[in-house]
Amino acid sequence: MFDAIRRPFGYEPIIRKEDLKKKDNKKTERANNWKSTLLRIWKLVDEHRLLLIAVLSLVFVSSALALLGPFLIGHIIDQYIVPEAFDGMGIIIAWLIVVYIGHSISLYLQNYWMVGIAQQVIYRMRTGLFEHLQRLPVSFFDKRQHGELMSRMTNDIENVSSTLNSSFIQVFSSLLTLTGTVVVMLWLSPLLTVLTLIIIPLMYVSMQWITKRTGRLYKEQQHAIGELNGMIEETISGQKIVKAFSQEPRVMEEFLEKANACARPVFGPGPIPVSFQR
């Protein structure tokens, strides 16, 4: 029964406990100074400082309105509906409608402006990266697959774009909402607040347990995507040679093998579901 719970789909785990404990002897490919990398990205974002301040201000407003709405609903229930005293309830309902309309407008504006900032930053990053590639020596391209470079230009930049578009706002909004929620909960009932916050250490441990295992799988998947992009690019550029030597079956087999390698970190070492196969 425990095996069915641990492996509900019957797949064997890709990463075992022994793999998590042993250290990898080879150097991990990562930025030499990730703080400097973040600082360089921040300098690009900081060029739109006024608009960024407006976005953060709207994040604060939307978080406050998101907390005020449920508070007004609770006030309506406790002060008007339960005692069946409906005098003055219309005013509170009107304010509740104004709160939710203001919340929607603030969410729309902050996302609209943040997407604009993100796209301008990504444009600068893509332009700078492309100009940098033009200055690199031929030996740099000889040592790397074309697909790997394409992955840097597309997948990695797209990840940065996704982070700036949504995650940046979400982090600040979550922090403000969490802080405001805890303050309101402490004001309403300190005892229930303490009981509720007990689960936070358990959630933290669970997140650490999950990210420790999914981090490696994500890196494996990105590496597999880079190899697949390289194979596709080389095959398309050499399609005449493939046709001339009748290598279509071998190329198709190699493509399916690399495509399955991209899905392997998701589904595990077991058989990939038929719906995801050719």
Side-chain angles (χ1 to χ4, degrees):
M1 183 179 73
F2 292 104
D3 289 338
I5 295 176
R6 293 172 57 189
R7 293 189 292 271
F9 300 104
Y11 301 140
E12 293 295 328
I14 297 179
I15 300 178
R16 302 179 183 274
K17 294 182 178 179
E18 296 78 8
D19 299 328
L20 295 174
K21 293 180 181 179
K22 67 181 181 180
K23 296 182 178 179
D24 194 358
N25 294 328
K26 63 180 181 180
K27 295 182 179 179
T28 305
E29 293 183 1
R30 60 176 62 186
N32 294 328
N33 190 347
W34 62 270
K35 293 182 179 180
S36 177
T37 303
L38 291 179
L39 183 61
R40 292 173 63 184
I41 296 176
W42 173 253
K43 288 181 179 179
L44 293 176
V45 177
D46 193 52
E47 294 179 0
H48 311 278
R49 181 178 301 178
L50 295 178
L51 197 56
L52 184 62
I53 292 175
V55 169
L56 295 179
S57 300
L58 287 175
V59 170
F60 179 81
V61 172
S62 64
S63 300
L65 294 178
L67 294 172
L68 184 59
F71 179 79
L72 290 178
I73 293 175
H75 180 75
I76 292 173
I77 294 174
D78 295 336
Q79 302 297 326
Y80 296 97
I81 297 179
V82 173
E84 297 183 355
F86 301 106
D87 293 337
M89 188 176 69
I91 298 177
I92 303 299
I93 293 177
W95 277 110
L96 183 63
I97 295 174
V98 171
V99 165
Y100 279 111
I101 292 176
H103 180 255
S104 301
I105 294 175
S106 62
L107 284 178
Y108 173 79
L109 290 177
Q110 73 187 35
N111 284 284
Y112 180 79
W113 288 342
M114 192 63 213
V115 168
I117 295 174
Q119 292 307 309
Q120 293 185 47
V121 171
I122 294 303
Y123 173 78
R124 292 283 304 277
M125 290 182 65
R126 284 199 176 107
T127 304
L129 180 58
F130 188 79
E131 291 177 352
H132 180 69
L133 288 175
Q134 308 310 309
R135 296 191 295 267
L136 293 173
V138 178
S139 59
F140 174 84
F141 299 95
D142 290 338
K143 296 177 182 178
R144 290 165 176 82
Q145 284 188 331
H146 294 170
E148 180 184 354
L149 300 179
M150 290 172 58
S151 180
R152 300 288 187 186
M153 290 288 294
T154 56
N155 294 335
D156 292 355
I157 295 293
E158 191 62 30
N159 288 335
V160 177
S161 176
S162 176
T163 300
L164 293 177
N165 284 334
S166 58
S167 301
F168 184 82
I169 292 179
Q170 188 175 3
V171 168
F172 283 96
S173 178
S174 299
L175 289 175
L176 291 173
T177 303
L178 178 61
T179 304
T181 302
V182 172
V183 171
V184 174
M185 289 172 63
L186 287 172
W187 178 57
L188 295 176
S189 177
L191 179 59
L192 290 178
T193 302
V194 173
L195 293 176
T196 304
L197 295 179
I198 290 177
I199 67 172
I200 292 181
L202 180 61
M203 294 175 59
Y204 176 78
V205 173
S206 302
M207 290 175 59
Q208 289 293 319
W209 186 86
I210 293 173
T211 55
K212 189 176 182 181
R213 286 158 175 76
T214 57
R216 290 190 179 186
L217 299 180
Y218 177 77
K219 292 179 181 178
E220 290 180 9
Q221 189 179 45
Q222 290 299 108
H223 179 71
I225 290 175
E227 291 187 351
L228 179 63
N229 288 337
M231 183 263 177
I232 293 174
E233 196 275 338
E234 292 172 0
T235 302
I236 292 177
S237 62
Q239 189 64 27
K240 293 182 180 180
I241 299 177
V242 174
K243 289 287 186 180
F245 290 92
S246 301
Q247 293 296 308
E248 294 91 338
R250 186 190 66 80
V251 171
M252 193 63 199
E253 182 179 355
E254 183 181 356
F255 171 80
L256 292 176
E257 180 181 351
K258 292 185 180 298
N260 289 335
C262 293
R264 193 68 62 192
V266 179
F267 296 104
I272 296 176
V274 178
S275 60
F276 288 87
Q277 296 181 2
R278 178 175 177 267

